[in-house]
Structures are given as structure tokens and as C-alpha cells.
Amino acid sequence: MTTAPAGRCRARDLGLRPGQFAPGALNAITDVAGVLVGQVTRIEGDFIRTGVTAIRPHGGDLFRDRVPAGLATINGFGKLAGATQLQELGELETPIVLTNTQAVGRAIEAVVDWALAQPGHADIRSVNAVVGETNDGKLNDIRARGISGEDVLRALETASAGPVEEGSVGAGTGTVAFGWKGGIGTSSRVLPEALGGFTLGALVQSNYGGALLMDGHPVGRALGKFYLKEHADKGDADGSVMVVIATDAPLSDRNLQRLALRAMAGLARTGAAFSDGSGDYAIAFSTHPRVRRPAPDNLVADWPNERMSPLFVAAIEAVEEAVLNSLLCATTVESRDPATGRKRRVQAIDLEAVRSLLARTA
């Protein structure tokens, strides 16, 4: 099972079990067979606090063996590269890379370089690099970009199955959520055989705000940190969040778009404000071999509409828990404002305070 950094914990370590379906063995997006995750964390000097998280739907030639995908947006304040082609064709031909807002351009270049350099790709003339972002400028010198093409290539090349590091790592190194340190979080759900037996996993880059809820418990309000507190706190809700959902269910891009939309319900369960300055995006893809493109024997499988509801529930639950894991696994991060030199510090959520609150409201 994926484990938390020293001194931190995951949601289930606190007794939080959002929803009804059981998680996979790792309780991570990598419970979906074939999915690989790679991360590079950049902490340099007083100013750089950022990184890269790469998600590869499978370890083969993704350009030649594409996976169907769907995209959902609830507030489009963001720079999601490759979004329009993803929507138009309903497929991924490159991995998904997450980083900071100002580093999107560098990440696109690196993903294109990586794709063109793969064996058998000498004839490729166009590549749709999919790069998502959140603004980590509260802790990171975002004007400096902070990452290089080599960092993106390393995240892609080192991507692996197995446990996924969470918290203040990769693209979540400098993020802030609900006023506390945010980061990378992941979770999964396995449907009973009677409902298809499929696995679904979610990974989030949390950098947004509102009034934090943990499995229904009003943690943000109880701990005195929430959006619009005393009608004066105008900053805690802005930011962004990127959600990536993987499943082995045989879904068309149409049903994957529907699945991605349910990620927003998972975010809502965490108390998200979906504010004007927040980019809220979700990408869902299927790894099932019968829906790869081109599909074997030119057949396209699609799970029936009337049997989608359990997958919708699984997505909502996995996204909610992934966000909680991103917060609970995050560690306190300090830096300096590059403009003023002043010390900046975003505290990780107090685990003991959360434990106490949960005990009182159980």
C-alpha cells in the first residue's frame, strides 16, 4: 500500500473512509494495471519550490496505441495545453504532465521531444502534448519557471507502477489547498464483480480553496481557516486543481467525459469553492485493450450507459479521498518571496487537531 511521508498519514490512517466502495491494494491510481507515475521535485535555495508529475496510461507506444479520454472543466481559469484536440478526438497520444503555470511551455517542448525520440517515430510530424498546471506562486518563484525539459524527461522516463509518493512532491511541491499545504494525492476504488469488477484510480494536484470538509466533517470551519471568513479572506479559494482519472473499464470517450465530470462532485465534497480564479479540470482515460485506438479487429467496446452509475460513484469517492491524502501527506514548506526577500511559510494541516476534531464529531 502507498505510505505517507514520515510524520504524516493518509486519510484511512485517521479512520476516514469516504464512500462505500473498497480501495485497491495500493489505494492509488496505479491500482489500474499498466498506469505509471513519475515525479521530479525541485527544491532549490530560498525560492524554488516546484516540480513535475507525469502520468503514463501504459508503458507501450502511446502514440501508436492511443487511449480514449474525456475532459471536464467547471471553471476554466487555467492553461491546459492540448485540451481542444483531446476534446475533439477523444483520445490521448502522449502522457499527461502536471507542473506549475509558467512552466507549461517548457513541459510541452519536453513532451514533444520525448514523443519524437521514441523508437519508430521518425515519421511523426504532429504531437498533441497534454500538460496541466496549477499556480504555485505562493511558495515558488513562479517567474523563474523552476523546471527544465530534463526534469520533465526524467519524470517520464522514471514513471513506474507501484506506490505513488504524495504530499509536497512533484507538481504539488509548492501548492496550497484550503489555506494549508496542498500537493499530490491519489486513491482508488474497485467495483464488486456484480457491477463489472473494474478498478478506477484518481490522482490530484490540489491547489484550491473553500471550506475544507473531510468525509463530511467541517474541518476548515472548526480549525478557523476557510474562504470568506469574516467576509475578508479573499485569497484562500483561488488556485487550481488538476484531476486525472484512470480506469480499466471499457469506456468510450463520450462516457469518459461523463466520468471526468463526476470528479467535480468529488471536489465539491471536499468543500471546494470553484472560485473565479481557480482552474478546475479533470481528464479521464480508459486502459481497456478493446477501446485502444485503433481497436483490435476495428471493434469499439463501450460499457452500457445504464451501468455507468457505479463508476460515477467510484470516481467521486476516489477524487475526494485523493484530495484528503494530498493534504494529510503534505509537509510544511518554507521559502522566500523573490520580490521582497521575506520569509514565506505554508503550514501542513495539524494532524492532532484533525484527530481531535474527528473524535468529537464521530
Side-chain angles (χ1 to χ4, degrees):
M1 178 177 286
T2 296
T3 57
R8 306 302 292 173
C9 71
R10 305 187 84 199
R12 290 180 182 258
D13 298 326
L14 294 178
L16 296 168
R17 289 170 169 76
Q20 57 186 314
F21 292 129
L26 297 170
N27 195 11
I29 193 171
T30 46
D31 281 318
V32 179
V35 175
L36 311 174
V37 176
Q39 302 196 81
V40 170
T41 300
R42 290 288 300 272
I43 298 176
E44 296 181 357
D46 289 333
F47 306 116
I48 301 300
R49 305 288 186 271
T50 194
V52 181
T53 299
I55 302 96
R56 295 175 60 180
H58 60 74
D61 186 342
L62 186 57
F63 191 88
R64 305 292 188 198
D65 194 13
R66 304 177 189 188
V67 297
L71 168 67
T73 305
I74 196 167
N75 193 69
F77 194 101
K79 291 80 184 166
L80 177 54
T84 55
Q85 184 171 316
L86 192 164
Q87 287 180 307
E88 183 70 21
L89 301 184
E91 62 190 25
L92 289 171
E93 61 185 43
T94 69
I96 300 166
V97 167
L98 308 178
T99 187
N100 76 65
T101 304
Q102 302 292 36
V104 168
R106 290 182 178 177
I108 293 170
E109 289 278 354
V111 173
V112 171
D113 287 345
W114 181 84
L116 295 180
Q118 299 304 300
H121 286 193
D123 61 330
I124 293 176
R125 299 176 61 185
S126 174
V127 175
N128 186 47
V130 176
V131 180
E133 54 78 29
T134 71
N135 191 321
D136 57 15
K138 290 183 180 179
L139 282 168
N140 176 50
D141 180 3
I142 199 164
R143 290 172 61 92
R145 312 320 195 275
I147 69 155
S148 65
E150 288 74 18
D151 293 326
V152 177
L153 293 174
R154 182 151 56 96
L156 290 167
E157 290 295 335
T158 61
S160 63
V164 176
E165 195 174 0
E166 295 175 291
S168 307
V169 297
T173 301
T175 62
V176 180
F178 299 98
W180 288 286
K181 184 66 190 70
I184 296 296
T186 188
S187 184
S188 68
R189 293 294 186 273
V190 179
L191 295 185
E193 287 299 325
L195 299 177
F198 303 118
T199 300
L200 179 146
L203 182 145
V204 304
Q205 178 190 19
S206 66
N207 191 52
Y208 65 104
L212 176 61
L213 297 172
M214 288 189 163
D215 198 12
H217 298 274
V219 174
R221 294 179 186 273
L223 299 186
K225 189 174 289 189
F226 55 94
Y227 179 52
L228 295 179
K229 179 185 176 184
E230 299 175 355
H231 307 286
D233 184 355
K234 299 180 180 179
D236 285 351
D238 285 344
S240 285
V241 58
M242 285 295 309
V243 180
V244 178
I245 295 173
T247 183
D248 57 9
L251 304 184
S252 64
D253 55 272
R254 177 184 58 82
N255 268 329
L256 285 163
Q257 191 274 336
R258 298 176 73 204
L259 190 68
L261 186 60
R262 269 59 182 187
M264 304 309 167
L267 296 176
R269 287 189 180 183
T270 69
F274 300 110
S275 72
D276 176 70
S278 183
D280 312 298
Y281 298 92
I283 298 172
F285 63 83
S286 171
T287 64
H288 195 285
R290 292 296 298 276
V291 295
R292 302 277 181 91
R293 300 181 177 181
D297 304 319
N298 293 319
L299 296 176
V300 178
D302 192 9
W303 196 240
N305 291 334
E306 62 270 19
R307 300 194 68 185
M308 284 295 299
S309 293
L311 285 164
F312 293 159
V313 173
I316 293 167
E317 294 179 5
V319 170
E320 178 185 7
E321 187 168 347
V323 171
L324 303 188
N325 286 337
S326 76
L327 283 155
L328 294 168
C329 290
T331 53
T332 298
V333 172
E334 296 181 351
S335 66
R336 289 190 182 276
D337 186 323
T340 66
R342 293 175 182 167
K343 184 177 179 180
R344 303 186 293 191
R345 189 172 195 263
V346 176
Q347 188 78 31
I349 196 167
D350 186 329
L351 296 183
E352 291 308 313
V354 174
R355 285 191 180 97
S356 178
L357 171 64
L358 296 179
R360 294 197 307 270
T361 57

